[in-house]
Amino acid sequence: MVSGPPGFGQAGLAASAPRRLDPDSLLLGLNPAQVEAVTAPDRPVLVLAGAGSGKTRVLTHRIGYLVATGRARPDGLMAVTFTNKAAREMRSRLAGLLGEEPRGMWLGTFHACSARMLRQRGDRIGVPPDFVIYDEADRVAVIKEAMRGVGVDEKRTSPATVAAEISRAKNDLHDHGQYAASARGFVEAQAALVYPRYQQLLEENLALDFDDLLFRTVRLLESSGDTREHYRARFGHVLVDEYQDTNRAQYSMLRLLVEDHRRVTVVGDPDQSVYSWRGADIRNILEFQRDYPDALVVALEQNYRSTAAILRAAGAVIQENSRRVEKGLWTEGPEGSPVLIGQFYDEQEEASAVAREALALADRGDAGFGDMAVLYRTNAQSRAFEEVLLRAAIPYRLVGGVRFYQRKEVKDMLAYLRLLVHPNDKVAFDRVVNVPKRGIGTQSLQQLMLASQESGRPYWELASDPALAGLRGAAAAGLARFSKMISEVAEWGASWPLVQVFDRMVEVSGYRSFVRDGSPEGEERWANVTELRGLAAEQGDTPSLDALPLFLEQLALAGEVDQMEDGGRALTLITLHQVKGLEFPVVFVTGVEEGLLPHSRSLDTVGELEEERRLLYVGMTRAKHRLYLSHCFQRHLYGSPKAAIPSRFLAPLSASAGVERWGAAASGPGSRSYVAPPATHGQPILLRRASEVVMERALAPGLPAPVERRFAAGDRVEHARFGRGTIRESELTSGGEEVVIDFESSGRRRFAVTDAVLRKLG
C-alpha cells in the first residue's frame, strides 16, 4: 500500500528565482526545428518528435527558455511525464540548465500530479486529504472481496478480468451507473455488479486506486469551478511528454487545465503509440489540430541515434500505416552496417544464431554484451534465449519480469511434478496444495505441520489422512483429494512419457482453467505453461519414472544459475512494449512472424494491426549501429511445433532499403540481397520451401558443413544437458551429422550435432 504521490522530489518547496540565464545560450547546439519548438510563442504547440530526435532535450530547453525569458516562473509550470524515471531525468537536466532545482514547479507523472491536486482540494468532491493509494495487489484483493459480497463466482469470471473492466471504465470516465447502463455481454454484466461494491469498499477504507487518481481529478476540475480556476491561474504553461500515450481521462484533465489560456505544449510521435491495451488513444495526438486550430506544429525529423540504414528500413516499415502524420527521419551520421534479416529453422536455432552473433561482435571488439538487446513480442519467447545464453556463458538480464523458471506458473507446475517424485517435499507441497483453491487455509496447514512435529509422522502421511492431524471439514476434504490426486498420477504415470504425465497433471489439478482466466495476462501465463510442456516433450518416450528426476535436476540447475551482472556487461532480454524509451548499439528483434508480430489477437481491425506495425517500428528504432530481424520456419507453440510464416511487416524491406540476409539465409552466391515475402491479398507467403531451409541450416555460420564425420562409434562425449555418454552410431544427412548416444544417466538419444552442446572427451 502506497500512501503518497510519487515522483516530485523538491516540487513542494517554495518557489525561488533561478539564476539569470541568457536565453540565447539555451539555443546553442540545437537544430533549426528544435529551436523553433523551444522558442515557440504562447499558443498551443505540437512537437512531432520522431524516434531519437531529442524530444527530452527540447522539453527541458523549452522550460528553461520560458523561465529565462520571463514568460514563466518555475512555480507557474506543470510538466507531465509518463514514468518517474523520465521525471527524474528531466529534473536533473533542468537543474543543470537553471543552476538549481526548479523549485515550486510541478514535474511528475499524470498520477503524481493528480494525487497532489486531490490532496489539496479533493475534499470538495468527498475525497479526504489523507487517502491511501492502493497498488495492484491491494486492488485485486478488494475486487475479490467485492465479488464475494455481490455473489459473483470467481470460477466463472476471474478477479483479473473484473479489475480490467473496471479500470477501462474509469479510464473512459464512466462511474458505476454509466458503466452498468452500457454493459453488454456476460463479463461486463458481472463487472457492473461488482463495480459499485468495489467503490464502496474503497471509500470505506479511505482509499483510491490508480485509476481513481485520474478519474477523481477530472471530476474535481469539472465540478468545482474555484478549483478549476485556481489551477488554471497557477499553471500558465503546461507541457506533456509522450502525448500519443494519453487516455481519455488524461486528455480531459489537460483540456480542463488549459482551456482558458491554451498555453500547452505536447510532445509525441503517432508512430510510437503502442499502448491502446492500457487505454491510450492515438486520436488525441492525431486530432490535436482539431482541438487547437491555431496550434503551431513542429516536426523533429533529424535523428541522433541510428544509422541511415536503420532509419531507412524503419521508415519503409512504418510508411505502410495510414493513421499517422507524414514525416521522414534522417541523420547526418554514417550509412552504417546493413540491416540483417534471417530465417532460422526454429526458436532454438534462432537463439543460437543470436548468441553466436553476440559472441562474434564481442570477440571482434565491435560491441560489449551490455551494448546488446534481444527484443520479442511475448515473455514466453525469452525461454529459448535464456537457455542458450546460460550454456554459452553470456551474461544477461531479463527486464520487466522474472526469469522463465522463476515465473509463478512455471514454479507451480514444477512443484506439482516434484511431488510426484518426492511427496514429502514441504516447499512444493505448501506452494500448490491450495493452488487452485481447495479450501485449505494457512491455519489448517499450520495445524498439519504442528501435528507432524508432535507425532513424528511425515507431513505427506498426515495429509493423506487428515483426521490424524485433527482436521475436519473442508480443509480435511481438500487435503484428502489433493494427496489422492498426486498418488494416482504418480502411480499411473510411472511408465508413461513425461509429456503425458504433464498433461494429466495440468488437467486433474485444475491448473489449466486456473491460469486461463480469460484475461490477456492469463493467456501470457498459459503460454509459459505450454513452453514448459515443450521441454517435458523433449524427454521423448522415456518412462517418466526415469525421465522426471533428470528433468527436474536439469531445470533446477538452469533456474539457479545466475551470472547476470547489472550495468554495462549483461545482454538485455526485453519485450517490445517494455523497450520503448531505451536505446542500444546492437538490437535483435526476434520472432517477426504472423501470429507473434502481428500478434494473433491483433488481426481483427486495421487499427490493431497498425499498432502492431508501430510496435515493430519502435523496436527497430531502438538500434543505434546494428539491427537484426529474425523469424523461423517453425516455432513451438502450445507445446508442439507449428509452421511459422514471416510477418507481413517484412514485405516493404528489400535491398534498396539497405537490407541483407543474415545467418542461414545468407549462404550461397549472390544471396546478400534480401527479398521480402510478397503479399497475396494482404497475406504473406513463405520465403522458401522447407527443404531449402534444411539445406541452408546445414551451411549456417558456426555449424560446419558435414564434409566428414566428427564422431565415430565408440567416441566418449559430453552433452551440455544430458552429461557423459558413448557414441553408438554416426550418420551424415542433408541437415548435418546425426549421432546416437548412450548416456550414462539418461539412456539412448539421437540428435543433430552442434558445437554448442556436444564435446568429445579425451
Side-chain angles (χ1 to χ4, degrees):
M1 184 180 297
V2 183
S3 59
F8 274 98
Q10 300 292 321
L13 300 179
S16 61
R19 68 179 183 182
R20 294 290 299 175
L21 291 174
D22 175 14
D24 290 340
S25 68
L26 296 171
L27 307 181
L28 297 176
L30 302 181
N31 66 42
Q34 291 174 331
V35 169
E36 184 181 9
V38 167
T39 61
D42 293 345
R43 57 189 278 200
V45 179
L46 169 62
V47 181
L48 294 170
S53 62
K55 68 179 180 64
T56 302
R57 190 180 192 197
V58 165
L59 270 176
T60 52
H61 280 248
R62 177 157 176 78
I63 292 171
Y65 193 82
L66 290 172
V67 173
T69 56
R71 290 160 57 187
R73 288 174 54 89
D75 61 341
L77 292 166
M78 175 188 286
V80 186
T81 67
F82 266 77
T83 66
N84 291 320
K85 177 183 177 182
R88 289 192 297 269
E89 180 182 354
M90 191 176 295
R91 182 174 297 281
S92 175
R93 292 195 189 192
L94 283 170
L97 289 176
L98 301 177
E100 60 181 338
E101 287 280 348
R103 300 188 178 189
M105 177 181 175
W106 282 31
L107 172 55
T109 64
F110 269 105
H111 291 91
C113 293
S114 296
R116 192 170 184 187
M117 287 185 187
L118 291 172
R119 293 198 188 280
Q120 291 181 350
R121 299 201 168 219
D123 56 350
R124 288 160 171 76
I125 58 169
V127 177
D130 57 345
F131 64 83
V132 295
I133 302 173
Y134 275 2
D135 62 17
E136 186 61 23
D138 297 324
R139 180 172 74 149
V140 172
V142 179
I143 289 283
K144 290 180 178 180
E145 183 179 349
M147 292 176 69
R148 290 192 294 269
V150 298
V152 173
D153 188 353
E154 290 185 25
K155 295 179 180 178
R156 298 192 67 192
T157 309
S158 73
T161 299
V162 173
E165 279 296 313
I166 294 176
S167 175
R168 181 174 64 84
K170 290 183 177 182
N171 284 331
D172 288 340
L173 300 177
H174 292 161
D175 60 24
H176 58 80
Q178 293 168 314
Y179 180 77
S182 62
R184 299 290 184 272
F186 176 77
V187 171
E188 292 186 12
Q190 297 293 93
L193 292 175
V194 177
Y195 191 172
R197 177 56 180 160
Y198 169 68
Q199 208 59 36
Q200 182 182 1
L201 291 172
L202 288 178
E203 292 173 4
E204 290 175 0
N205 289 285
L206 303 180
L208 302 179
D209 62 23
F210 273 86
D211 298 315
D212 274 328
L213 294 176
L214 301 174
F215 182 43
R216 295 295 190 92
T217 297
V218 172
R219 290 289 180 258
L220 172 64
L221 294 172
E222 287 176 337
S223 61
S224 174
D226 66 318
T227 297
R228 186 168 60 250
E229 295 308 316
H230 169 78
Y231 287 117
R232 285 178 179 176
R234 166 72 188 270
F235 301 118
H237 284 269
V238 179
L239 304 95
V240 182
D241 192 14
E242 303 285 8
Y243 188 64
Q244 78 278 352
D245 293 331
T246 52
N247 59 28
R248 181 180 176 185
Q250 292 159 337
Y251 168 85
S252 298
M253 175 181 167
L254 181 63
R255 287 294 302 270
L256 287 164
L257 286 172
V258 305
E259 196 167 24
D260 282 348
H261 60 69
R262 298 163 56 81
R263 291 187 288 272
V264 56
T265 300
V266 301
V267 181
D269 182 6
D271 290 339
Q272 298 185 70
S273 178
V274 295
Y275 295 125
S276 65
W277 52 277
R278 291 198 316 210
D281 191 339
I282 193 174
R283 292 176 299 180
N284 293 348
I285 190 167
L286 291 177
E287 298 176 1
F288 185 83
Q289 290 174 275
R290 181 205 63 185
D291 296 333
Y292 305 95
D294 60 332
L296 172 66
V297 180
V298 181
L300 303 183
E301 298 178 306
Q302 184 173 357
N303 180 281
Y304 294 93
R305 176 189 299 157
S306 305
T307 63
I310 292 171
L311 294 180
R312 194 159 53 249
V317 168
I318 200 61
Q319 283 179 3
E320 298 293 306
N321 272 8
S322 60
R323 302 181 73 196
R324 61 187 301 264
V325 178
E326 186 61 37
K327 62 183 184 303
L329 291 181
W330 59 276
T331 180
E332 292 181 344
E335 169 67 18
S337 302
V339 174
L340 299 181
I341 302 182
Q343 174 167 302
F344 301 97
Y345 185 73
D346 57 16
E347 67 270 22
Q348 290 296 326
E349 186 173 272
E350 178 184 49
S352 296
V354 169
R356 285 198 302 268
E357 190 71 11
L359 288 168
L361 291 172
D363 287 345
R364 294 198 303 264
D366 292 341
F369 294 130
D371 298 325
M372 307 176 195
V374 177
L375 316 184
Y376 36 81
R377 177 64 174 83
T378 67
N379 280 314
Q381 290 171 254
S382 74
R383 192 265 301 172
F385 293 102
E386 291 184 71
E387 286 196 340
V388 169
L389 294 174
L390 283 169
R391 290 202 305 265
I394 296 176
Y396 71 91
R397 57 177 178 172
L398 185 65
V399 177
V402 295
R403 292 183 160 204
F404 180 80
Y405 297 114
Q406 296 301 313
R407 292 168 187 160
K408 180 185 184 304
E409 55 275 10
V410 173
K411 290 180 70 67
D412 285 349
M413 284 310 305
L414 289 177
Y416 274 116
L417 296 177
R418 282 163 53 186
L419 289 174
L420 299 178
V421 180
H422 303 294
N424 288 313
D425 184 338
K426 184 177 180 297
V427 173
F429 182 93
D430 287 346
R431 182 175 187 91
V432 295
V433 66
N434 204 38
V435 178
K437 297 290 186 183
R438 299 184 177 91
I440 308 166
T442 303
Q443 188 173 358
S444 298
L445 292 177
Q446 291 174 343
Q447 184 175 338
L448 188 70
M449 180 180 65
L450 183 61
S452 176
Q453 292 172 343
E454 291 177 348
S455 66
R457 291 182 173 182
Y459 204 68
W460 182 253
E461 180 182 336
L462 295 179
S464 303
D465 190 356
L468 296 175
L471 290 170
R472 301 287 187 273
L479 279 169
R481 288 195 304 271
F482 179 77
S483 60
K484 182 180 180 182
M485 174 189 69
I486 296 296
S487 298
E488 288 181 347
V489 174
E491 180 179 356
W492 169 86
S495 61
W496 287 85
L498 180 56
V499 68
Q500 293 186 23
V501 175
F502 186 99
D503 290 343
R504 178 75 171 174
M505 183 59 75
V506 167
E507 294 301 328
V508 300
S509 66
Y511 203 75
R512 178 195 293 270
S513 57
F514 170 72
V515 171
R516 302 193 80 176
D517 58 10
S519 67
E521 294 81 7
E523 289 300 316
E524 190 82 16
R525 292 193 296 270
W526 179 248
N528 290 329
V529 173
T530 57
E531 282 286 326
L532 184 62
R533 181 192 185 276
L535 292 179
E538 290 181 7
Q539 303 300 312
D541 294 330
T542 304
S544 64
L545 182 65
D546 300 318
L548 183 53
L550 179 63
F551 177 74
L552 293 172
E553 178 183 332
Q554 292 166 349
L555 297 195
L557 291 173
E560 293 179 6
V561 173
D562 188 359
Q563 299 179 346
M564 277 179 52
E565 298 182 39
D566 294 330
R569 297 183 59 191
L571 181 148
T572 297
L573 299 178
I574 189 170
T575 68
L576 284 159
H577 279 107
Q578 293 160 340
V579 79
K580 192 163 175 287
L582 303 178
E583 60 182 39
F584 299 89
V586 180
V587 167
F588 300 88
V589 183
T590 61
V592 190
E593 302 154 16
E594 293 292 306
L596 278 180
L597 189 62
H599 197 278
S600 58
R601 293 196 303 264
S602 304
L603 303 178
D604 293 337
T605 68
V606 172
E608 292 174 330
L609 187 63
E610 290 200 348
E611 179 159 328
E612 292 290 298
R613 188 180 279 109
R614 292 194 293 269
L615 193 57
L616 175 57
Y617 174 78
V618 165
M620 295 173 72
T621 54
R622 300 310 95 193
K624 298 170 69 175
H625 306 310
R626 295 178 183 271
L627 173 62
Y628 301 79
L629 306 173
S630 65
H631 53 93
C632 295
F633 170 70
Q634 72 171 26
R635 185 176 295 274
H636 284 76
L637 297 173
Y638 307 106
S640 60
K642 290 182 172 56
I645 300 175
S647 172
R648 67 191 74 187
F649 299 157
L650 297 176
L653 298 179
S654 65
S656 62
V659 174
E660 296 182 1
R661 292 186 178 185
W662 164 43
S667 300
S671 62
R672 294 296 286 173
S673 295
Y674 179 79
V675 180
T680 304
H681 302 296
Q683 297 296 324
I685 62 174
L686 289 174
L687 280 179
R688 295 179 301 282
R689 297 190 303 274
S691 60
E692 294 174 356
V693 174
V694 171
M695 289 300 294
E696 288 179 347
R697 186 184 185 193
L699 299 173
L703 299 177
V707 177
E708 58 183 23
R709 287 184 176 87
R710 296 179 54 213
F711 299 99
D715 285 348
R716 292 283 294 165
V717 295
E718 184 175 37
H719 189 279
R721 292 183 61 186
F722 302 118
R724 297 190 174 192
T726 302
I727 300 285
R728 289 307 173 204
E729 63 178 87
S730 169
E731 178 184 3
L732 294 181
T733 71
S734 62
E737 183 180 10
E738 292 187 1
V739 292
V740 176
I741 305 175
D742 284 340
F743 288 103
E744 296 172 355
S745 59
S746 58
R748 179 168 294 187
R749 295 177 182 276
R750 170 188 284 270
F751 48 78
V753 171
T754 68
D755 288 331
V757 296
L758 196 61
R759 181 172 65 91
K760 185 181 292 188
L761 299 175

